């Protein structure tokens, strides 16, 4: 399990979507100035509005555990190219998140790379 | 000379005068129709050509002490939580639906007697009634988006909204006494011809605002853009149903 942390400037997309996140509820717990890539096995995925909900089984230096993530709305993800068959429960995927400010597990999903390499949003670079 | 079937005759002068009268009555109507723009289309927050969304207009909101207390009470029980109208799939309501709507696009469908404004977020729909379609607002129950009637003044659509509910959960808090006027018009198009829609908003509230709140919102037409449906409440129902099934020890079959 790899956990990569890339410090990135505030890109246009993240700024926009952080505004969207703020529109629904406070997103102060998420650090939109940073980007973290997380790989894991899909335990649960709900692409819904106003925010997606994702549970991944992640293994890293802290061990193996299930981590819950929040993310963009289904509509925003769909605009970035999300299709219902991008991945399924049990698949290994990579997500790009804005991590928690307090360093705890979790974060705000802004992009996803499916098991076949298809990316929704820009997983590995700035938006 | 002109002769009716009854045999009565009209002088040429009479005909000329009558023709002039009819023309003078009809021309303004015809001219008015041709000056009315069609706002129908999909609109996104103004971005100009650099792709950057213009900042959500905020303006200066001068709340009365009563409004300040109400807003503080709301924030005291919701700040730092996941509780919000949005997470309960409740739309923004006016004026937030028009000014922001979470950055999502909107679609306008224009008819002579009604405009439908469909904000993608939460599938919020405003019906703006014109002419004889416009009823007495007093006959309608208050809603978060109020009751909107409109009339044309040249190429500008004047929309008046009343029957609003008190909203402490809005970034533009107001009481149920608030009224909102919006003036819609097509602004200067972009260099590439893209249409730009503007709306000047004035919200007045004798209870919660020390002074009228004024703002201007701009959108640009998105020819390659589609406003999508926004399913939000179904997951809440799904969760509720799942809990019921689990409590009953049954297997739920619904995807």
């Amino acid at each position: 399990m790899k956990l990569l942390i890339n410090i990135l400037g505030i890109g246009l997309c993240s700024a926009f979507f952080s505004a969207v996140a703020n529109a629904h509820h406070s997103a102060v717990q998420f650090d939109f100035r940073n980007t973290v890539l997380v790989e894991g096995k899909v335990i649960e995925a709900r692409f819904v509005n106003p925010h997606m909900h994702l549970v991944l089984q992640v293994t890293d230096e802290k061990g193996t555990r299930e981590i819950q993530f929040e993310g963009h709305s289904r509509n925003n993800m769909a605009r970035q190219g999300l299709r219902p068959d991008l991945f399924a429960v049990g698949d290994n995927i990579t997500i790009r998140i804005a991590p928690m400010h307090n360093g705890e597990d979790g974060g705000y999903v802004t992009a996803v790379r499916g098991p076949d390499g298809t990316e929704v949003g820009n997983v590995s670079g700035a938006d | 000379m002109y002769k009716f079937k009854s045999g009565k005759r009209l002088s040429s002068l009479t005909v000329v005068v009558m023709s002039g009268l009819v023309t003078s009555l009809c021309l303004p109507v015809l001219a008015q129709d041709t000056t009315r723009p069609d706002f129908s289309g999909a609109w996104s927050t103004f971005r100009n050509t650099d792709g950057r969304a213009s900042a959500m207009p905020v303006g200066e909101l001068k709340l009365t002490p009563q409004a300040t207390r109400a807003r503080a009470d709301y924030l005291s029980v919701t700040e730092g939580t996941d509780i919000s109208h949005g997470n309960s799939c409740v739309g923004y309501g006016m004026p937030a639906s028009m000014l922001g709507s979470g950055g999502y696009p909107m679609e306008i469908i224009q008819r002579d007697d009604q405009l439908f404004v469909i904000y993608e977020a939460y599938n919020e729909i405003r019906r703006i009634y014109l002419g004889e379609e416009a009823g007495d607002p007093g006959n309608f129950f208050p809603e978060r988006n109020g009751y909107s009637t409109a009339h044309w003044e040249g190429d500008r659509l004047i929309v008046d909204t009343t029957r609003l509910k008190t909203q402490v959960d809005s970034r533009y808090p107001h009481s149920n006494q608030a009224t909102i006027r919006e003036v819609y018009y097509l602004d200067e198009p972009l260099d590439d011809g893209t249409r730009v829609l503007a709306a000047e908003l004035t919200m007045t509230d004798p209870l919660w605002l020390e002074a009228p709140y004024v703002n201007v919102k701009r959108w640009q037409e998105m020819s390659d853009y589609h406003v999508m449906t926004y399913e939000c409440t179904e997951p809440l129902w799904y969760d509720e149903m799942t809990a019921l099934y689990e409590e009953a020890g049954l297997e739920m079959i619904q995807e």
Side-chain angles (χ1 to χ4, degrees), chain B residues 7-26:
Chain B
K8 289 186 177 178
R9 296 173 184 277
L10 292 175
S11 68
S12 297
L13 179 62
T14 304
V15 171
V16 169
V17 170
M18 288 177 65
S19 300
L21 186 62
V22 169
T23 304
S24 63
L25 287 172
C26 292

Side-chain angles (χ1 to χ4, degrees), chain B residues 53-246:
Chain B
S54 56
M56 186 186 297
V58 177
E60 188 179 3
L61 207 58
K62 295 178 180 174
L63 298 179
T64 63
Q66 179 185 0
T68 302
R69 283 194 301 273
R71 179 68 176 161
D73 285 347
Y74 170 74
L75 293 175
S76 72
V77 295
T78 56
E79 268 190 333
T81 73
D82 252 3
I83 297 172
S84 69
H85 69 83
N87 270 2
S88 294
C89 297
V90 174
Y92 291 91
M94 279 292 287
S97 53
M98 170 269 195
L99 288 173
S101 202
Y104 288 87
M106 70 172 183
E107 182 171 6
I108 294 178
I109 301 170
Q110 183 170 327
R111 296 195 328 217
D112 288 342
D113 57 357
Q114 194 174 144
L115 264 79
F116 301 88
V117 184
I118 304 165
Y119 302 105
E120 179 171 307
Y122 306 102
N123 287 329
E124 275 189 280
I125 295 178
R126 289 178 66 198
R127 294 173 182 271
I128 299 173
Y129 300 98
L130 292 102
E132 294 181 356
E133 284 293 309
D136 177 358
N139 292 333
F140 296 89
F141 288 98
E143 295 182 1
R144 287 172 71 86
N145 277 307
Y147 184 81
S148 297
T149 60
H151 66 277
W152 289 97
E153 291 183 3
D155 59 357
R156 296 188 169 213
L157 183 70
I158 316 299
V159 181
D160 289 305
T161 299
T162 57
R163 308 300 285 160
L164 289 157
K165 298 192 80 168
T166 297
Q167 287 181 229
V168 295
D169 55 6
S170 172
R171 67 184 302 170
Y172 313 96
H174 58 74
S175 78
N176 60 3
Q177 299 302 301
T179 58
I180 297 172
R181 169 161 284 201
E182 299 155 275
V183 179
Y184 286 86
Y185 55 92
L186 291 178
D187 213 343
E188 285 296 313
L190 300 183
D191 291 342
D192 64 1
T194 299
R195 295 200 303 168
V196 174
L197 177 66
E200 298 168 359
L201 175 141
T202 304
M203 180 166 71
T204 306
D205 187 340
L207 295 180
W208 281 29
L209 292 180
E210 299 278 13
Y213 173 70
V214 179
N215 212 326
V216 179
K217 169 85 177 186
R218 283 185 171 77
W219 301 262
Q220 66 188 66
E221 192 164 25
M222 308 296 284
S223 57
D224 58 345
Y225 216 67
H226 300 283
V227 174
M228 301 165 66
T229 57
Y230 189 96
E231 176 58 68
C232 190
T233 54
E234 189 270 346
L236 302 178
W237 164 236
Y238 183 91
D239 288 345
E240 194 172 353
M241 198 161 50
T242 299
L244 286 172
Y245 270 68
E246 286 179 355

